[in-house]
PDB file of all heavy atoms in Angstrom:
ATOM      1  N   TYR A 107     138.543 -32.524 134.722  1.00 93.00           N
ATOM      2  CA  TYR A 107     137.411 -32.076 135.449  1.00 93.00           C
ATOM      3  C   TYR A 107     137.899 -31.296 136.691  1.00 93.00           C
ATOM      4  O   TYR A 107     137.811 -31.796 137.836  1.00 93.00           O
ATOM      5  CB  TYR A 107     136.543 -33.254 135.886  1.00 93.00           C
ATOM      6  CG  TYR A 107     136.013 -34.099 134.708  1.00 93.00           C
ATOM      7  CD1 TYR A 107     136.578 -35.429 134.425  1.00 93.00           C
ATOM      8  CD2 TYR A 107     135.098 -33.601 133.849  1.00 93.00           C
ATOM      9  CE1 TYR A 107     136.133 -36.168 133.434  1.00 93.00           C
ATOM     10  CE2 TYR A 107     134.670 -34.411 132.754  1.00 93.00           C
ATOM     11  CZ  TYR A 107     135.224 -35.628 132.525  1.00 93.00           C
ATOM     12  OH  TYR A 107     134.764 -36.339 131.491  1.00 93.00           O
ATOM     13  N   PRO A 108     138.416 -30.036 136.497  1.00 93.00           N
ATOM     14  CA  PRO A 108     138.991 -29.353 137.696  1.00 93.00           C
ATOM     15  C   PRO A 108     137.924 -28.858 138.653  1.00 93.00           C
ATOM     16  O   PRO A 108     136.965 -28.270 138.375  1.00 93.00           O
ATOM     17  CB  PRO A 108     139.628 -28.150 136.953  1.00 93.00           C
ATOM     18  CG  PRO A 108     138.868 -27.958 135.674  1.00 93.00           C
ATOM     19  CD  PRO A 108     138.470 -29.386 135.233  1.00 93.00           C
ATOM     20  N   LEU A 109     138.108 -29.300 139.919  1.00 91.00           N
ATOM     21  CA  LEU A 109     137.222 -28.895 141.009  1.00 91.00           C
ATOM     22  C   LEU A 109     137.169 -27.418 141.143  1.00 91.00           C
ATOM     23  O   LEU A 109     136.097 -26.858 141.456  1.00 91.00           O
ATOM     24  CB  LEU A 109     137.814 -29.530 142.310  1.00 91.00           C
ATOM     25  CG  LEU A 109     137.000 -29.214 143.577  1.00 91.00           C
ATOM     26  CD1 LEU A 109     135.553 -29.851 143.514  1.00 91.00           C
ATOM     27  CD2 LEU A 109     137.720 -29.770 144.832  1.00 91.00           C
ATOM     28  N   PHE A 110     138.299 -26.729 140.911  1.00 86.00           N
ATOM     29  CA  PHE A 110     138.212 -25.269 141.152  1.00 86.00           C
ATOM     30  C   PHE A 110     137.795 -24.349 139.975  1.00 86.00           C
ATOM     31  O   PHE A 110     137.776 -23.146 140.114  1.00 86.00           O
ATOM     32  CB  PHE A 110     139.678 -24.857 141.568  1.00 86.00           C
ATOM     33  CG  PHE A 110     140.353 -25.625 142.629  1.00 86.00           C
ATOM     34  CD1 PHE A 110     141.549 -26.340 142.462  1.00 86.00           C
ATOM     35  CD2 PHE A 110     139.674 -25.836 143.822  1.00 86.00           C
ATOM     36  CE1 PHE A 110     142.106 -27.112 143.415  1.00 86.00           C
ATOM     37  CE2 PHE A 110     140.272 -26.524 144.838  1.00 86.00           C
ATOM     38  CZ  PHE A 110     141.482 -27.226 144.657  1.00 86.00           C
ATOM     39  N   PHE A 111     137.497 -25.034 138.917  1.00 86.00           N
ATOM     40  CA  PHE A 111     137.195 -24.361 137.633  1.00 86.00           C
ATOM     41  C   PHE A 111     135.922 -24.876 136.948  1.00 86.00           C
ATOM     42  O   PHE A 111     135.862 -25.106 135.697  1.00 86.00           O
ATOM     43  CB  PHE A 111     138.378 -24.291 136.656  1.00 86.00           C
ATOM     44  CG  PHE A 111     139.520 -23.530 137.162  1.00 86.00           C
ATOM     45  CD1 PHE A 111     140.476 -24.081 137.931  1.00 86.00           C
ATOM     46  CD2 PHE A 111     139.679 -22.158 136.875  1.00 86.00           C
ATOM     47  CE1 PHE A 111     141.571 -23.402 138.499  1.00 86.00           C
ATOM     48  CE2 PHE A 111     140.781 -21.459 137.353  1.00 86.00           C
ATOM     49  CZ  PHE A 111     141.617 -22.038 138.158  1.00 86.00           C
ATOM     50  N   LYS A 112     134.919 -25.162 137.799  1.00 84.00           N
ATOM     51  CA  LYS A 112     133.547 -25.592 137.307  1.00 84.00           C
ATOM     52  C   LYS A 112     133.580 -26.858 136.411  1.00 84.00           C
ATOM     53  O   LYS A 112     132.827 -26.982 135.566  1.00 84.00           O
ATOM     54  CB  LYS A 112     132.948 -24.419 136.565  1.00 84.00           C
ATOM     55  CG  LYS A 112     132.717 -23.202 137.340  1.00 84.00           C
ATOM     56  CD  LYS A 112     132.078 -22.077 136.569  1.00 84.00           C
ATOM     57  CE  LYS A 112     131.890 -20.832 137.376  1.00 84.00           C
ATOM     58  NZ  LYS A 112     131.262 -19.707 136.674  1.00 84.00           N
ATOM     59  N   MET A 113     134.611 -27.745 136.706  1.00 88.00           N
ATOM     60  CA  MET A 113     134.728 -28.955 135.991  1.00 88.00           C
ATOM     61  C   MET A 113     134.944 -28.785 134.437  1.00 88.00           C
ATOM     62  O   MET A 113     134.718 -29.718 133.715  1.00 88.00           O
ATOM     63  CB  MET A 113     133.462 -29.910 136.202  1.00 88.00           C
ATOM     64  CG  MET A 113     133.269 -30.224 137.623  1.00 88.00           C
ATOM     65  SD  MET A 113     134.582 -31.217 138.296  1.00 88.00           S
ATOM     66  CE  MET A 113     134.115 -31.393 140.047  1.00 88.00           C
ATOM     67  N   GLN A 114     135.434 -27.633 134.091  1.00 84.00           N
ATOM     68  CA  GLN A 114     135.696 -27.291 132.655  1.00 84.00           C
ATOM     69  C   GLN A 114     137.144 -27.394 132.394  1.00 84.00           C
ATOM     70  O   GLN A 114     137.904 -26.379 132.507  1.00 84.00           O
ATOM     71  CB  GLN A 114     135.099 -25.996 132.307  1.00 84.00           C
ATOM     72  CG  GLN A 114     133.615 -25.828 132.381  1.00 84.00           C
ATOM     73  CD  GLN A 114     133.077 -24.446 132.174  1.00 84.00           C
ATOM     74  OE1 GLN A 114     133.853 -23.413 131.940  1.00 84.00           O
ATOM     75  NE2 GLN A 114     131.758 -24.284 132.261  1.00 84.00           N
TER      76      GLN A 114
END
Side-chain angles (χ1 to χ4, degrees):
Y107 303 109
L109 179 64
F110 310 124
F111 292 87
K112 302 179 180 180
M113 300 294 175
Q114 298 175 355

